[in-house]
């Protein structure tokens, strides 16, 4: 399985995209953003990027943060640091370019309660256990339109209708800063808060290659009060289905054995090809098994509660 890592996102509460109003605060934000992107693209093309330009790029993102803060008027979230711009970069060539325009709140502690940035005994650093991204419906709609052909030809881009878009994995891969694809293991039965017009939640993992064996995150998305929210965070315990893992392991074992027989000329290339892609077959069987049996695991209920709590923190009850 191969993934393309770029960015994009999804829709508006109705099925038709509504453009940002001319002269609106959102329109001015987009104009400021696009002017900055064009400026830094030219400097990059002219090989003029240096520390001074990097400081100017950071200042441009600070200006965009201020504009979004005025547009969105977001209160602080208990347990989360002050909001920052969700855009990691205004340089077109950088990974992270094109993320969802919005404010991001990062949890002020890690999953284990550690302080953000602290170094663990194993050498890793404590990272926020959860994140909340907020944008306006108008900016979300504009962002979706910009990303309808974001990925290379032949790759599926985000749907331009809201319900299928929220169920599209690529939406979440494109919207957040990540060097791995977001994987949807299973939809979660999160309850829709009274203020929301639409919600969607799912068990998640990330990968740069094969489908992971355990779901270790939850994602929730919602449209409420003219705002669009994406919230995501690590879960404890992770959700696994050992029987499904065993099925994939068996397919992988068969794949190894077949490759060895081919190498030793114990079977012909035609016989080997007839077996098909055994590893992919095993991955597909794992997915089917997981969807069927994950809801039976006690960890699934715990993940649903954690997703519900994160959703309510994001938009309020």
């Amino acid at each position: 399985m191969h993934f393309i890592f770029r960015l994009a996102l999804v829709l508006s509460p109705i099925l038709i995209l509504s453009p940002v109003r001319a002269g609106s605060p959102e329109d001015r934000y987009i104009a400021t953003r696009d002017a900055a992107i064009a400026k830094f693209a030219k400097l990059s093309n002219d090989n003029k990027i240096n520390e001074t330009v990097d400081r100017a790029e950071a200042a441009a993102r600070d200006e965009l943060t201020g504009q979004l803060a005025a547009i969105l008027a977001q209160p602080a979230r208990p347990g989360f640091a002050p909001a920052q711009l969700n855009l990691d970069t205004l340089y077109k060539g950088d990974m992270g370019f094109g993320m969802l325009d919005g404010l991001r709140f990062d949890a002020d502690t890690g999953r284990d309660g550690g302080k953000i940035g602290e170094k663990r005994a194993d050498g890793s650093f404590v990272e926020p256990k959860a994140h909340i991204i907020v944008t306006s419906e108008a900016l979300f709609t504009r962002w979706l339109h910009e990303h309808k052909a974001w990925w290379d030809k032949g790759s599926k881009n985000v749907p331009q209708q809201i319900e299928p878009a929220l169920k599209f994995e690529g939406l979440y891969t494109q919207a957040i800063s990540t060097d791995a694809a977001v994987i949807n293991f299973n939809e979660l039965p999160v309850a829709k808060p009274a203020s929301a017009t639409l919600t969607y939640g799912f068990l998640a993992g990330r990968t740069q290659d094969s489908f992971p064996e355990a779901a270790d995150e939850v994602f929730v998305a919602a449209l409420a009060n003219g705002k669009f929210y994406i919230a995501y965070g690590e879960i404890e315990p992770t959700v696994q289905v050992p029987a499904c893992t065993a099925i994939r392991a068996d397919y992988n074992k068969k794949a190894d054995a077949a490759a060895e027989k081919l190498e030793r000329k114990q079977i012909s290339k035609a016989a080997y090809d007839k077996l098909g892609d055994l590893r992919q077959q095993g991955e597909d069987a794992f997915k089917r098994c997981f969807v069927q049996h994950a809801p039976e695991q006690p960890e699934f209920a715990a993940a649903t509660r954690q997703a519900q709590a994160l959703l309510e923190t994001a938009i309020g009850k």
Side-chain angles (χ1 to χ4, degrees):
M1 178 181 292
H2 300 284
F3 298 93
I4 300 169
F5 304 110
R6 297 198 188 143
L7 291 308
L9 232 292
V10 242
L11 310 359
S12 122
I14 52 177
L15 300 182
I16 300 174
L17 300 181
S18 54
V20 173
R21 300 184 311 279
S24 70
E26 289 97 336
D27 206 38
R28 290 192 290 276
Y29 165 87
I30 293 294
T32 302
R33 184 203 66 182
D34 288 351
I37 289 171
K39 171 185 174 182
F40 297 118
K42 184 177 188 309
L43 290 169
S44 180
N45 291 337
D46 294 342
N47 295 314
K48 293 182 178 179
I49 302 301
N50 53 37
E51 289 186 3
T52 300
V53 175
D54 284 342
R55 286 194 294 271
E57 189 267 349
R61 285 190 286 112
D62 287 342
E63 180 181 356
L64 293 173
T65 303
Q67 290 191 32
L68 282 179
I71 291 168
L72 299 172
Q74 288 297 295
R77 267 80 171 175
F80 286 78
Q84 58 184 298
L85 188 69
N86 189 53
L87 302 183
D88 274 358
T89 181
L90 296 174
Y91 291 124
K92 275 188 174 182
D94 286 1
M95 179 176 289
F97 177 77
M99 291 161 58
L100 177 63
D101 296 285
L103 295 177
R104 189 182 73 246
F105 297 82
D106 297 332
D108 54 21
T109 59
R111 183 174 57 182
D112 53 8
K115 185 178 179 181
I116 302 305
E118 284 184 343
K119 191 172 183 178
R120 296 189 178 96
D122 63 2
S124 64
F125 291 90
V126 177
E127 296 185 355
K129 64 182 178 182
H131 311 266
I132 296 169
I133 302 172
V134 187
T135 191
S136 71
E137 181 185 329
L139 284 174
F140 181 46
T141 298
R142 176 71 170 260
W143 186 92
L144 284 173
H145 181 72
E146 291 173 347
H147 287 72
K148 66 181 179 181
W150 190 259
W151 280 343
D152 292 339
K153 186 177 181 180
S155 297
K156 186 177 180 181
N157 280 285
V158 62
Q160 295 291 291
Q161 292 183 331
I162 190 164
E163 293 193 45
L166 294 187
K167 297 177 182 179
F168 177 61
E169 293 170 331
L171 163 65
Y172 304 93
T173 299
Q174 295 172 5
I176 67 175
S177 176
T178 179
D179 60 355
V182 174
I183 298 296
N184 183 340
F185 276 86
N186 278 73
E187 183 175 349
L188 290 171
V190 293
K192 183 166 66 72
S195 61
T197 57
L198 182 68
T199 60
Y200 182 73
F202 62 96
L203 277 175
R206 303 196 199 187
T207 184
Q208 293 178 324
D209 187 10
S210 62
F211 203 93
E213 293 186 351
D216 58 6
E217 288 184 277
V218 291
F219 276 72
V220 286
L223 286 161
N225 301 318
K227 305 289 195 303
F228 176 72
Y229 303 82
I230 292 178
Y232 55 104
E234 298 176 329
I235 56 172
E236 186 63 41
T238 60
V239 180
Q240 303 181 58
V241 184
C244 303
T245 301
I247 290 172
R248 180 159 64 174
D250 185 55
Y251 272 93
N252 289 341
K253 185 177 179 181
K254 291 176 181 177
D256 291 338
E260 185 175 349
K261 286 181 179 179
L262 178 65
E263 185 177 349
R264 293 181 177 180
K265 302 187 184 308
Q266 294 174 339
I267 60 173
S268 66
K269 182 65 164 58
Y272 177 79
D273 290 343
K274 192 174 180 180
L275 294 172
D277 188 339
L278 289 170
R279 294 188 189 281
Q280 186 61 55
Q281 292 173 35
E283 187 168 287
D284 293 341
F286 171 83
K287 294 176 188 176
R288 291 191 298 269
C289 177
F290 200 99
V291 168
Q292 181 179 356
H293 295 292
E296 301 166 0
Q297 311 302 311
E299 295 83 3
F300 186 87
T304 301
R305 290 192 294 271
Q306 292 175 71
Q308 191 74 51
L310 186 55
L311 176 62
E312 292 174 358
T313 299
I315 68 174
K317 292 188 176 181

